[in-house]
Amino acid sequence: MMGFSVGAVVQSVLLLAACFATEAARLPSNFGRCSKSDPRFNECMRANIEDAIHKLKEGSKELGLKRFDPLDIPELVIGEGKGPVNVVQHFKDVELYGLTGSKVLAASADFDNKMMYATSVTPELRLQGQYSMKGRVLLLPIFGHGPCNVTLVNTKINHTLTAEPFEKKGQTYWSFKDYTVTLRPERVIFKFDNLFDGDARLGDEIGKVLNDNWDEVFTDVRDGYEKSFGLIFHGLANRVFTRVPLKDIFLE
Ligand SMILES: *[C@@H]1O[C@H](CO)[C@@H](O)[C@H](O)[C@H]1NC(C)=O
Ligand SMILES: *[C@@H]1O[C@H](CO)[C@@H](O)[C@H](O)[C@H]1NC(C)=O
């Protein structure tokens, strides 16, 4: 069902992550570390993850990460829904703004099961780029291509990460084999320019329909957004964890 869209995104994430296999790295010295025995470990992790996200705005040479805000996403495909959204949304040259404004509400780790959990809220997540689509939404025909802007307001995100340990030169690392995301925005604002080959009246009408029914429209394709964000975060998390030995992230 999602094979096509996720395939395209996987490709972009693999490109993003293409050079992580090389040198071991250390967490930048201004990043906090948490001790596993700290009775306030979860709070330590929550604060440090939030702080790290803010510090990564411009990226990190040490960690081989490009800028976080905006984050460049070469291609993103959101598949058709099962309900009112009978259209595949192709996005290209996307800049994702707003990740570094995220607040981490809670975080925890389960070392026995090699899992990590976090809940965050991002005040404004904006996907800006080029779109193309042709199909139907809420039974109305829709087609067009051009600049677009999809804004997710006050988005709560649950992150569930499952790791697999591996050894390299006598050091233990974590590689995440799964990164699952659930997204709950308070509101979504769609702006697709040049719908219907630039017919402004039709374009404004369908734009209004999309925004008046944002909940129904977004919910129908939420799965595609969750899988795409999951893959993007998965690539970023592995970039760090497969290069920094575990004992430099979580102190014994
Ligand atoms: C994108 O849409 C949001 C919400 O409508 C708006 O605040 C923002 O200014 C828009 N940005 C651009 C570049 O159009
Ligand atoms: C996150 O998980 C909690 C606990 O299972 C749940 O109550 C909440 O609705 C979830 N939030 C999102 C954004 O999925």
Side-chain angles (χ1 to χ4, degrees), residues 134-151:
K134 185 176 194 306
R136 282 177 180 270
V137 176
L138 297 154
L139 304 177
L140 301 169
I142 186 169
F143 69 87
H145 58 91
C148 71
N149 174 353
V150 178
T151 307

Side-chain angles (χ1 to χ4, degrees), residues 31-184:
F31 278 36
R33 286 135 172 94
C34 301
S35 174
K36 285 183 185 175
S37 58
D38 183 345
R40 302 191 68 225
F41 175 83
N42 288 355
E43 168 53 22
C44 173
M45 206 163 89
R46 185 207 66 72
N48 283 347
I49 295 172
E50 184 174 292
D51 183 53
I53 293 169
H54 298 169
K55 285 177 176 153
L56 284 170
K57 187 170 169 58
E58 302 300 332
S60 158
K61 263 220 170 89
E62 284 158 285
L63 293 173
L65 289 170
K66 292 190 191 158
R67 65 167 193 215
F68 256 38
D69 205 349
L71 184 73
D72 290 305
I73 305 169
E75 192 181 1
L76 191 77
V77 182
I78 304 294
E80 274 188 57
K82 294 191 181 75
V85 183
N86 308 119
V87 63
V88 179
Q89 304 168 62
H90 294 260
F91 297 99
K92 250 181 43 185
D93 303 327
V94 175
E95 290 184 321
L96 175 63
Y97 287 87
L99 272 182
T100 55
S102 302
K103 287 203 170 323
V104 179
L105 304 177
S108 58
D110 171 349
F111 290 101
D112 292 335
N113 293 308
K114 302 174 183 65
M115 308 271 296
M116 279 172 60
Y117 306 94
T119 304
S120 62
V121 61
T122 309
E124 189 181 290
L125 262 181
R126 196 169 79 236
L127 286 162
Q128 224 171 280
Q130 300 292 320
Y131 79 95
S132 72
M133 62 180 157
K134 185 176 194 306
R136 282 177 180 270
V137 176
L138 297 154
L139 304 177
L140 301 169
I142 186 169
F143 69 87
H145 58 91
C148 71
N149 174 353
V150 178
T151 307
L152 281 63
V153 180
N154 286 336
T155 306
K156 282 236 175 111
I157 310 182
N158 282 359
H159 311 249
T160 306
L161 295 77
T162 313
E164 219 161 36
F166 71 96
E167 304 278 324
K168 196 165 63 185
K169 293 187 178 154
Q171 303 270 25
T172 303
Y173 295 79
W174 268 7
S175 166
F176 295 107
K177 57 181 181 187
D178 193 47
Y179 193 132
T180 306
V181 157
T182 56
L183 290 175
R184 293 292 180 279

Side-chain angles (χ1 to χ4, degrees), residues 223-235:
D223 188 56
Y225 280 91
E226 289 176 339
K227 288 200 161 66
S228 298
F229 277 87
L231 285 163
I232 292 162
F233 296 159
H234 192 177

